[in-house]
Amino acid sequence: MTFTLPQLPVPLVFATHRVIRDCNSEFAAVFGYEREALINKSFARLYPALEDFVRTGKMWRDHLPGGAVYYDERIMADTEGHRFWCRVRGRSFDAADPFAAAVYCFEPMTRPASAGTKTLTGRQRQILALVAQGKTNAAIAEELNLSRRTIEAHRLRLARAIGVRNSSELIAWFLNSEDSRL
């Protein structure tokens, strides 16, 4: 039996150069769109801010070589502007250009996009998500192409801004923030 993308039961999208070329209804529903409204549109419309779209693109360009699978967790926005956390997995089909042709799976997460996370910068949200995944400063630095000291400084400022003392409290705050349906 052969299936086409629109028939598959998980939120999937095929894209070239970060433009949605095909997706299924499950993917469109995650963002509150009809499938046809997303075809040949940029992924940028699904991010809370253009800077989030650009920053995520840079990170994926570095970590999505042809054939490899890469994933991250990030805040996305639906058609009404409501923000939500989403786990994204992707695979590129072009070793020379990871965005030339790729398939992605978007899975909404139960983690709330709270008022507290809205006040953080995009970079802080990115680092916080990587900390919550259990990654070390060194691993985060390598993934983001930053120095370990830069990551340490970001985490220290983040902890101070939130009012927590250590990584455990930071992760607990992150995972237990109240949902304000932003």
Side-chain angles (χ1 to χ4, degrees), residues 4-178:
T4 63
L5 187 66
Q7 295 172 314
L8 297 174
V10 294
L12 293 171
V13 60
F14 173 75
T16 60
H17 302 288
R18 303 186 78 196
V19 173
I20 299 165
R21 299 302 180 189
D22 196 7
C23 66
N24 58 15
S25 296
E26 286 76 8
F27 172 81
V30 166
F31 297 93
Y33 287 94
E34 293 295 322
R35 180 179 166 271
E36 295 74 24
L38 293 174
I39 304 298
N40 294 320
K41 303 294 186 207
S42 171
F43 273 111
R45 71 178 27 213
L46 305 177
Y47 285 81
L50 184 59
E51 72 178 25
D52 296 322
F53 172 73
V54 171
R55 186 185 55 261
T56 299
K58 288 178 183 176
M59 186 173 66
W60 277 65
R61 179 169 299 285
D62 292 341
H63 298 285
L64 191 64
V69 174
Y70 183 69
Y71 89 97
D72 71 8
E73 297 172 1
R74 63 181 88 139
I75 292 180
M76 302 297 290
D78 67 16
T79 188
E80 301 291 324
H82 297 137
R83 297 173 182 216
F84 61 95
W85 280 95
C86 198
R87 178 177 293 115
V88 182
R89 287 181 170 77
R91 174 174 281 175
S92 175
F93 298 106
D94 186 324
D97 182 356
F99 294 133
V103 64
Y104 305 94
C105 178
F106 283 70
E107 301 172 82
M109 301 172 69
T110 57
R111 177 185 304 144
S114 69
T117 55
K118 183 179 180 185
T119 62
L120 303 176
T121 68
R123 178 66 83 187
Q124 287 173 325
R125 285 192 306 269
Q126 183 181 38
I127 290 171
L128 187 53
L130 294 169
V131 169
Q133 292 172 28
K135 295 185 179 179
T136 64
N137 288 342
I140 294 169
E142 183 178 332
E143 189 164 330
L144 300 181
N145 291 323
L146 298 171
S147 75
R148 186 179 54 78
R149 299 282 292 160
T150 298
I151 299 303
E152 290 170 358
H154 276 297
R155 285 179 71 167
L156 179 62
R157 283 192 298 275
L158 189 57
R160 285 181 180 160
I162 294 169
V164 298
R165 296 176 301 223
N166 56 45
S167 293
S168 297
E169 289 180 9
L170 183 64
I171 293 168
W173 175 87
F174 178 60
L175 296 176
N176 295 312
S177 297
E178 288 185 23

